[in-house]
Amino acid sequence: MQGGELRISPVGSKQALDDFIDLPYRLYADDPNWVPPLRADVAELLNPEKNPFYGHAEGQLFLARRAGRVVGRISAHIDKLALAQPVEQGMGPGTGNWGMLDAEDEATAKALIATAEDWLKSRGMTRVLGPLSLSVWDEPGVLVKGFDHPPTVMMGHAKPEYHQWIESSGYQTVQELFTYALVIDRDFPELTNRIVAIGEKNDRIKIRRVDKRKFNDEAALILGILNDAWSDNWGFVPLTEAEIAYVGKKLKPIVYEDLIRIAEVDGEPVAFMMTLPDINEKIKSFGGKLFPFNWAKLLWWLRKPQVRTMRVPLMGVVKKLQASRMASQLAFMMIEYIRRDAITKFGASRGEFGWVLGSNGPMRSVGEAVGGTVNKVYRIYEKTL
């Protein structure tokens, strides 16, 4: 650990913001399982003028320096929509968050966490839930299992000691998030196949691809189902109309009609499943930069990506069907149809399903029923301030 007094200060200039964004690229430079995010994407995430999260949230970034050298970072934020959620669902009044923690050593990490706590307390927060970077819809939790392989698209990575540093700062586990890895270039278990076959004989059910020509309408439909389907889940914060439009715009380049299904029952859209090709396989070697030549490589790849892994980041069934047998039937049908196209059209052989809340028994059962095994675990902590 480098000597000198540790100084923590709020990010208040373009240079400081650049330093905040740059730090992980140095800390993880020798980690073969870290996937450098595109710097432009990180900058946009942190830009209140571009990210609609800040339409209902306030936040502050902090940098830690020792002898003038950046040695750590953290974000602290308060989401007004989260404050309005029921306490029993994880968020609620008085609950603030921190995230984006990176540090060279334990002393720096603890000092940053304490700084984030002080910022939250000064704004009336009585409890902290984290890490969230920045919201539950971005990269929630810190990795506690699965350090030996890279994360898939839109999932986070961390150093193995981070969760220990958080726990030694007085935090208790409040929720775990699981991802399931599965082999997809072979048939699913026979029970799953039988359920799919029965569903195919039901004239009330229609499983359709999305129509990218009507992208905005389809995106709004899917995220509307999501807001309903997830509304009782732990940690849920509703997506605003601005966020729905923003997410749709961000995902459009990696959305393929063959990889997203909408389930209709009696003509009514009631469920969806979104699958994304693992763009991390392509950008891992980019070092976070698109210029001068990586943008052309990425555009060419996006025309018809061939990947090893597909990730299912989002899936949902409307609440009125969630207690019915039809809910699991629709889920298995969408999974099977997407599996077939993922193999034949994109060359995929592996899938990743999640994240799934540890408390969400039905969705964990779906992951296990198709032969999935937990390959990564992320943990969210809480602490009374």
Side-chain angles (χ1 to χ4, degrees), residues 2 6-11 16 19-24 26-27 61-66 68-75 99-113 162 165:
Q2 185 176 349
L6 184 70
R7 295 182 179 273
I8 297 176
S9 58
V11 170
D19 291 342
F20 186 94
I21 294 172
D22 287 345
L23 178 62
R26 172 165 58 83
L27 293 186
L61 309 178
F62 295 94
L63 279 176
R65 293 182 175 88
R66 191 177 280 114
R69 181 172 181 266
V70 176
V71 294
R73 70 173 196 174
I74 199 169
S75 64
M100 305 194 81
L101 173 68
D102 277 299
E104 288 190 357
D105 56 79
E106 183 173 4
T108 299
K110 288 185 173 182
L112 284 164
I113 291 171
Y162 279 7
W165 295 348

Side-chain angles (χ1 to χ4, degrees), residues 174-188:
V174 65
Q175 191 68 243
E176 289 192 325
L177 316 174
F178 298 92
T179 63
Y180 289 82
L182 59 153
V183 177
I184 64 171
D185 58 355
R186 66 186 183 201
D187 290 343
F188 284 144

Side-chain angles (χ1 to χ4, degrees), residues 73 131 136 143 168 174 184 190 205 232 237 267 279 306 333 351:
R73 70 173 196 174
V136 73
L143 186 67
S168 64
V174 65
I184 64 171
E190 182 56 33
I205 296 174
D232 291 336
V237 177
I279 194 173
Q306 295 294 296
M333 292 177 74

Side-chain angles (χ1 to χ4, degrees), residues 204-208 262-271 330:
R204 298 176 60 203
I205 296 174
K206 177 183 177 182
I207 309 293
R208 68 172 179 86
I262 294 173
E264 298 177 353
V265 176
D266 298 328
E268 178 189 357
V270 294
L330 296 176

Side-chain angles (χ1 to χ4, degrees), residues 87-130:
V87 174
E88 61 270 19
Q89 281 187 237
M91 298 291 184
T95 300
N97 310 117
W98 58 256
M100 305 194 81
L101 173 68
D102 277 299
E104 288 190 357
D105 56 79
E106 183 173 4
T108 299
K110 288 185 173 182
L112 284 164
I113 291 171
T115 299
E117 292 171 353
D118 288 343
W119 186 89
L120 293 170
K121 283 190 288 187
S122 72
R123 283 154 180 80
M125 298 299 102
T126 57
R127 174 176 174 261
V128 62
L129 195 72

